[in-house]
Amino acid sequence: QVRLVESGGGLVQPGGSLRLSCTVSGDTFSNYAVGWFHQAPGKEREFVAAIAGRGGGTYYADSVPGRFTISRDNAKNTVYLQMNNLKPDDTAVYYCAATTVGVAGTSEKYPYWGQGTQVTVSS
């Protein structure tokens, strides 16, 4: 069974940085594209970015600023989301999800999900 575990969230001041990690276990990691989503209080879950399993092609939501970068280390079965110059509007629970169908921007394409990690940007 595929399992995803996020880490790296926390409280950060505006302008700060965080790197979220998503470690995947239970199957061949490189077979899976991995996406990041976030859900702010009272809002729907939204796509942030995704990265292909092989080749490392990336895909970002139009609304995602250049402050966010997705990457992966197949040797560590881990996908990262580097977030720089964080703003209060970035406050949300961040989820990673995995799929074998390739990079996708909708949650319905991802059958496997982590439990989420809270990111709070506040002074």
Side-chain angles (χ1 to χ4, degrees):
Q1 181 176 358
V2 177
R3 182 168 180 253
L4 292 84
V5 178
E6 301 99 333
S7 61
L11 173 65
V12 62
Q13 292 186 343
S17 297
L18 283 175
R19 188 177 77 160
L20 306 183
S21 299
C22 173
T23 301
V24 182
S25 61
D27 201 349
T28 304
F29 179 61
S30 58
N31 287 344
Y32 291 83
V34 176
W36 284 98
F37 293 75
H38 64 194
Q39 186 167 18
K43 296 186 177 181
E44 295 185 353
R45 191 172 299 184
E46 296 180 337
F47 171 72
V48 175
I51 188 165
R54 302 180 191 275
T58 58
Y59 172 41
Y60 293 90
D62 290 342
S63 59
V64 170
R67 301 178 287 116
F68 290 8
T69 303
I70 191 170
S71 63
R72 69 189 291 153
D73 185 340
N74 284 349
K76 295 183 178 180
N77 286 10
T78 301
V79 170
Y80 304 99
L81 185 68
Q82 178 69 42
M83 304 187 294
N84 298 326
N85 192 20
L86 283 160
K87 303 179 184 304
D89 284 349
D90 297 320
T91 295
V93 178
Y94 284 74
Y95 298 90
C96 65
T99 180
T100 57
V101 302
V103 289
T106 57
S107 58
E108 294 78 9
K109 298 291 188 181
Y110 293 84
Y112 306 106
W113 290 81
Q115 81 289 349
T117 185
Q118 176 70 47
V119 171
T120 302
V121 185
S122 175
S123 56

